[in-house]
Amino acid sequence: MKYINFLFVALSLTLFSCHTAKKTSTTTPISTNTPLSISTVLLNMQANKVDFEHMNGDAGVDYKGQPMNIALSSTMRWRRDSVIWMNVRKLGFSVARIQVTRDSVFVVNYLQSNYTAKNLSYIEKKFGVPLDFSVLQDILLGNPVFLTDKEKLTLDKSIDGDVILSGNNERWKATYKLDATNFTVKEMLFEEPSTNRTLKISYKNYAIVRVPNRANHNFSYLRTIEVESPQTGKVSVILEVDAQSLEINVPKNIKFEIPNHYQRVD
């Protein structure tokens, strides 16, 4: 059952020290006839940012890396700026339950009758990777995150027509690949040359999600998180959301209990 903790570590290792964009705007994406500029692209990225209060659904999780490769399924419930809850299954049986709050993470291991409880700061202390709840939820939702100053980004176009934003500071090099027609994020690549560490997040299978009484959103049902560093080697996590199970802004009860007889482990 150690793979449950490795899965969470793999996810948390993707969350380098960064800040998210401002709160989602209801601005309508700018027409592609508008002259392309960095400000135009950023406004469209802001307009595309997912703005949900609740999200529930099933997802497949495929982890590849050390110490093993593992394919899992999960039921997820998320409440904005509050909690991420996952019931993890293997071959249809519940093997773990995970709850992440703004300051803590809990993992209950049903197969070995134990649990882990850590502050989010534990990830920073152990792996040197600051963890922020807002960044984790933005990656979960498919929203962009920024490692460098947006005001210092440069604009280009790739050979295949994608819009490319890039920038760097004393620590990070960041590259964003966007769809040229609707400015959805296709890929974010972050590199830290001083540590030979890279993070790449790819977003695919976009479809319109209709939100009652709110603006509709393009939502990525398939995203791949790839991390490579001297400490972790190559690690990838593929998260594929089941479109039929997805519920938006439908509040659900989030119940997380640790049986009294379970032993706490580090």
Side-chain angles (χ1 to χ4, degrees):
M1 270 303 295
K2 287 184 178 179
Y3 62 76
I4 294 297
N5 288 322
F6 279 108
L7 174 63
F8 178 76
V9 168
L11 288 169
S12 62
L13 282 172
T14 67
L15 307 179
F16 296 103
S17 177
C18 52
H19 59 276
T20 59
K22 295 178 180 178
K23 292 293 182 181
T24 303
S25 169
T26 57
T27 304
T28 301
I30 297 172
S31 168
T32 53
N33 295 326
T34 302
L36 195 62
S37 65
I38 293 177
S39 60
T40 297
V41 174
L42 290 176
L43 281 172
N44 276 273
M45 292 174 72
Q46 176 73 6
N48 285 333
K49 194 177 178 190
V50 172
D51 182 21
F52 302 152
E53 295 294 332
H54 302 267
M55 184 172 70
N56 314 298
D58 297 330
V61 182
D62 188 6
Y63 168 82
K64 295 181 179 180
Q66 295 299 322
M68 65 182 70
N69 301 337
I70 192 72
L72 303 164
S73 60
S74 67
T75 297
M76 180 190 63
R77 294 179 182 176
W78 167 81
R79 185 165 60 235
R80 187 165 81 172
D81 298 331
S82 178
V83 62
I84 299 169
W85 176 97
M86 295 180 70
N87 182 38
V88 183
R89 299 181 300 276
K90 179 66 177 177
L91 301 176
F93 295 95
S94 293
V95 296
R97 191 157 291 183
I98 301 170
Q99 180 167 282
V100 184
T101 65
R102 294 194 62 83
D103 58 7
S104 302
V105 56
F106 300 88
V107 180
V108 175
N109 179 341
Y110 292 124
L111 295 186
Q112 296 184 344
S113 300
N114 59 35
Y115 72 97
T116 299
K118 297 289 186 182
N119 293 328
L120 288 186
S121 59
Y122 165 80
I123 302 299
E124 178 176 1
K125 293 176 182 177
K126 187 171 180 63
F127 301 101
V129 181
L131 181 62
D132 182 275
F133 185 89
S134 62
V135 175
L136 177 57
Q137 72 178 1
D138 268 344
I139 290 179
L140 178 69
L141 295 171
N143 289 330
V145 295
F146 294 94
L147 295 176
T148 59
D149 293 337
K150 289 184 288 184
E151 293 77 11
K152 297 181 180 180
L153 292 171
T154 59
L155 179 65
D156 199 357
K157 276 196 173 184
S158 66
I159 296 176
D160 56 6
D162 293 324
V163 175
I164 305 295
L165 287 179
S166 60
N168 61 278
N169 55 24
E170 65 280 359
R171 185 177 180 184
W172 304 108
K173 178 182 178 181
T175 306
Y176 303 84
K177 181 186 291 187
L178 312 174
D179 188 290
T181 59
N182 58 18
F183 297 97
T184 54
V185 178
K186 298 175 69 173
E187 181 181 293
M188 298 187 293
L189 175 64
F190 305 115
E191 301 168 276
E192 189 182 30
S194 64
T195 63
N196 294 320
R197 181 169 52 179
T198 63
L199 161 66
K200 182 169 71 173
I201 308 174
S202 303
Y203 298 99
K204 298 179 180 179
N205 293 3
Y206 275 96
I208 293 293
V209 173
R210 303 191 183 282
V211 185
N213 303 317
R214 304 289 289 273
N216 297 331
H217 290 283
N218 279 305
F219 183 79
S220 167
Y221 286 89
L222 177 65
R223 64 280 312 274
T224 302
I225 304 169
E226 299 174 275
V227 178
E228 184 171 2
S229 75
Q231 294 77 26
T232 64
K234 293 182 179 180
V235 174
S236 71
V237 179
I238 300 174
L239 178 67
E240 184 169 12
V241 179
D242 176 25
Q244 298 301 317
S245 69
L246 188 66
E247 296 179 309
I248 301 300
N249 289 350
V250 178
K252 295 279 189 178
N253 181 43
I254 297 178
K255 186 177 181 180
F256 189 86
E257 295 180 347
I258 301 173
N260 292 332
H261 65 281
Y262 275 32
Q263 180 181 2
R264 180 170 179 170
V265 295
D266 292 330

